[in-house]
Amino acid sequence: MLPFHSLSAAQAALGRNLTYFETLWFNYSHDKSNYFLYCHNILFLFLIFSLIPLPLIFLELFHVSGIHKYKIQPKVRLPSAEIFRCYKDVMRMFFLVVGPLQLVSYPSINMIGIRTGLPLPSGGEIVSQLVVYFMVEDYTNYWVHRFLHCEWGYEKIHRVHHEYTAPIGFAAPYAHWAEVLILGIPSFLGPAMVPGHMITFWLWIALRQIEAIETHSGYDFPWSVTKLIPFYGGADHHDYHHYVGGQSQSNFASVFTYCDYIYGTDKGYRYQKKILKKLKEEAKISEASYYSTAQDVKSD
């Protein structure tokens, strides 16, 4: 809750007029508790889990012409009943684990100093903090994920997430309840190290989940704006991890590719890409040779 009861009091405290966005924030948040503002995450996560995967689910169900060629595992097509079961299980986990966790975790957010007041952070501050959050989460998630692929971690916990060897968007948060709790730690470390504004925290939670849905989408679109991000893994990178399955010791990173490259856990993936590239080149040469031969026969 803001310590100001009017716009004029807020302007007097800051020694300047409020910006347009600061005025919007004041009007919305000045009479709401910090706990209530933090709990907005529950609504955001519900909407993200439910709505963001829908366009890709539409592609999966209706086999849209011209788009199917971008599906990473084109021979796998999940029935609607299986897709609905996945969403139902995700929602059960959301209401039984994720939502309650959000409700009781506010003291930790308050302790690390996530603020709700004015002034609002600048665009540069928000972007720089989000970069830190993604880098910290990616590195720590890499090692937690590797642990979950040891025999005990996989059999007791992580195998649930790997039920989908050809993942879909709804499968991003599909996991054992213990995994949901464990992987919450890497997501919390960045804000704990570099605490920012509640708006930045909202953006972090939302963008991280949207990124997870994108990497589990099963589609690798060449026009995706994420391909402009240096070292970004994307759907193709993570889909290989699911394709290999429980025995996978490759592509553990959640967002970027540098950890897998540095620690040598992308060798199988890179070898597969090399072989596929070679096969495609040979296929093109064979096709060109066929048409050339056919043209020569026609000329004779």
Side-chain angles (χ1 to χ4, degrees), residues 163-237:
E163 289 177 12
Y164 291 92
T165 56
I168 56 174
F170 282 143
Y174 180 85
H176 191 282
W177 64 267
E179 181 169 346
V180 173
L181 297 178
I182 292 170
L183 293 183
I185 298 173
S187 296
F188 177 76
L189 285 178
M193 294 170 62
V194 187
H197 198 275
M198 185 65 74
I199 291 176
T200 308
F201 188 75
W202 287 349
L203 283 171
W204 159 237
I205 296 299
L207 289 174
R208 176 64 184 93
Q209 296 308 315
I210 291 171
E211 182 276 331
I213 290 170
E214 193 267 340
T215 57
H216 286 83
S217 68
Y219 287 85
D220 185 30
F221 298 117
W223 59 77
S224 174
V225 294
T226 55
K227 290 189 177 293
L228 300 175
I229 302 173
F231 307 108
Y232 184 77
D236 186 61
H237 187 264

Side-chain angles (χ1 to χ4, degrees), residues 54-99:
L54 286 182
L56 298 168
I57 296 303
F58 176 85
L59 298 179
E60 183 75 19
L61 290 175
F62 296 100
H63 201 74
V64 178
S65 176
I67 298 294
H68 189 70
K69 63 182 178 180
Y70 300 118
K71 186 171 171 60
I72 301 169
Q73 298 187 50
K75 294 182 179 180
V76 180
R77 189 177 179 187
L78 295 179
S80 58
E82 178 62 26
I83 293 173
F84 179 73
R85 183 190 74 82
C86 179
Y87 176 71
K88 184 178 65 175
D89 288 345
V90 166
M91 284 297 101
R92 182 170 64 244
M93 188 66 64
F94 176 82
F95 287 112
L96 294 179
V97 179
V98 177

Side-chain angles (χ1 to χ4, degrees), residues 1-11 14 18-33 36-37 40 116-118 120 197 199 202:
M1 184 178 293
L2 298 182
F4 317 115
H5 298 291
S6 65
L7 283 172
S8 58
Q11 291 170 346
L14 293 179
L18 301 185
T19 66
Y20 173 74
F21 291 108
E22 286 175 336
T23 301
L24 288 179
W25 178 251
F26 177 88
N27 289 333
Y28 179 74
S29 66
H30 76 278
D31 59 348
K32 296 177 176 63
S33 70
F36 180 80
L37 293 172
H40 281 49
T116 61
L118 295 173
L120 292 183
H197 198 275
I199 291 176
W202 287 349

